[in-house]
Amino acid sequence: MTTLKLDTCLMRRMGLPEGSTPPSFEAVRGWQARTLRDLVAHAQQRSPFYARHFDGVEADQIKNLDDFSRLPMLTADDVRRKPEDMLCVSQDEITRIVTLQSSGTTGEPKRIFYTSEDLEATVDYFHWGMSHLVGPGETAFVLMPGERPGGVGQLLMQALERAGARAVAHGVMEDSEAALDHLLQENGTCIVGPASHVNMLACAWQRRGLPKGRIKSVLLCWDATPDAVVRRVTDALGCRTYRHWGMIETGLGGAVECAPGAGMHLRETDVYLEIIDPKTGTPMPDGEFGEMVVSTPLKRGMPLIRYRTGDLGRILRGHCPCGTPLRRLDATICRIGGGTPLHTGTLELGELNEALFALPEVEDFVASYGDGLLRLEICSPETDSAKNVMKTLATIPVVRLNTNATQLNMEIVIRNTSEPAIHGLAKRQIMRVKGN
């Protein structure tokens, strides 16, 4: 990746003169401290919620990021209760509202408000962030909807048009063969989409015996990106595979990989990331996993200030060899407490992802657990692959079949690849069911 592109975006957002030297790591951190201090003052003055939340806080006393890290944090419940109170602008200035349903059965949804400036900032970030994946005259094939105004597909299309490229939104993938036909018809050179869907598309590519190298790059986004999928997609298509992290709450774009394995460079001007001990709230040093806490330094409509994401991640130590001052986020991100309790222990979705996607016959899967039964629905072209799947599962310690006392009952259902794709755009999880 030519990191000069992301550095250009960084400098533009920091208000630095065009053609100036990229700022140092220390200069970026100083800018973040000043901008976050101004954001706190802005929110206190204009938002009923933040006026209460930061009661007694003197914004001008926030001298550095250590001071900022002592401010009270937000939770998802804060955002759910009355998000209108978090607004720092008139609702007439709001361009788009996104409703996020709770992963629970009774939780209230979250509503996130965007101004036109927020959406423009995302388009600008996509423009620079995608510049090393798609060149002028090339086409990005996007496995997400593109018809919704302000949606990720639309924003991506706008961003690529600025670079002389284009994006074709296929929509949510339901049939990998049909998606492959569409990709070839549009002469796509880049694929953007969730890891499980791109994995199925890469498998379809292999089944047809299509040549490697026709696809230039792949960007895995939206959900968890297992290492096993990165390896398969890279090998099947003969291209470079990158990963992206972002959240609806922070404006979609968050961090993008500059080279496989080097970590994802953070969008430091628009997403300030802290890593804390989830129990004590104390900052964690780089290299250590903890809860990801995000703030939006330049978001003035509905800013988030020290928002606890409930996700576990870490900042990688040191600086990237590419020379950018942007910090790197490890691609390994998961929900805190997101494991599924079994009577044999706790099963993490990440363990299943890495074990099953490493099998060449597994293109996708869904998992559910209830009443002592782990049920897996596997998308595979091989109808007799259940035995190999069972053998692989037995390598996961919590699933390992040792004795009758700790035996975990499993049911494996094989679905042919000609059937519709298993997953929509919902975040992957091990679903809990009440019965077998």
Side-chain angles (χ1 to χ4, degrees), residues 191 198 202 205 211-215 218 232-239:
I191 302 171
V198 176
W205 185 281
K212 296 182 180 182
R214 182 168 174 175
I215 302 299
V218 166
R232 179 183 291 186
V233 169
T234 301
D235 178 65
L237 301 179
C239 67

Side-chain angles (χ1 to χ4, degrees), residues 53 142 163 254 272 295 404 414 416 435:
H53 187 66
V142 183
Y272 173 62
S295 300
N404 289 333
I414 304 298
N416 192 276

Side-chain angles (χ1 to χ4, degrees), residues 119-120 122-131 133-134 138-170 190-193 219 221 244 251-253 256:
L119 297 180
E120 168 56 29
T122 297
V123 171
D124 190 55
Y125 177 73
F126 284 171
H127 171 204
W128 296 107
M130 290 292 294
S131 61
L133 281 84
V134 189
E138 295 180 334
T139 297
F141 187 73
V142 183
L143 296 173
M144 286 181 279
E147 66 279 359
R148 180 176 297 174
V152 63
Q154 281 270 334
L155 299 178
L156 195 54
M157 289 179 189
Q158 295 173 34
L160 291 178
E161 285 174 4
R162 294 182 182 181
R166 71 180 184 126
V168 173
H170 176 76
C190 170
I191 302 171
V192 180
L219 181 67
C221 57
H244 174 268
L252 300 172
V256 67

Side-chain angles (χ1 to χ4, degrees), residues 173-281:
M173 194 181 77
E174 296 182 351
D175 182 328
S176 59
E177 293 293 337
L180 181 52
D181 287 339
H182 191 191
L183 169 66
L184 297 173
Q185 177 186 345
E186 297 289 349
N187 195 29
T189 58
C190 170
I191 302 171
V192 180
S196 59
H197 290 187
V198 176
N199 189 70
M200 293 184 72
L201 192 59
C203 290
W205 185 281
Q206 279 188 312
R207 283 198 303 275
R208 290 199 195 179
L210 295 172
K212 296 182 180 182
R214 182 168 174 175
I215 302 299
K216 173 185 173 182
S217 60
V218 166
L219 181 67
L220 302 178
C221 57
W222 191 260
D223 203 356
T225 54
D227 290 339
V229 171
V230 173
R231 291 192 297 269
R232 179 183 291 186
V233 169
T234 301
D235 178 65
L237 301 179
C239 67
R240 297 192 71 179
T241 302
Y242 301 86
R243 292 184 259 206
H244 174 268
W245 166 80
M247 300 175 65
I248 295 291
E249 290 94 325
T250 56
L252 300 172
V256 67
E257 202 165 27
C258 83
M264 300 182 290
H265 288 299
L266 284 160
R267 183 187 177 191
E268 296 278 23
T269 53
D270 293 83
V271 181
Y272 173 62
L273 178 65
E274 302 172 74
I275 305 296
I276 66 164
D277 183 313
K279 293 182 179 178
T280 66

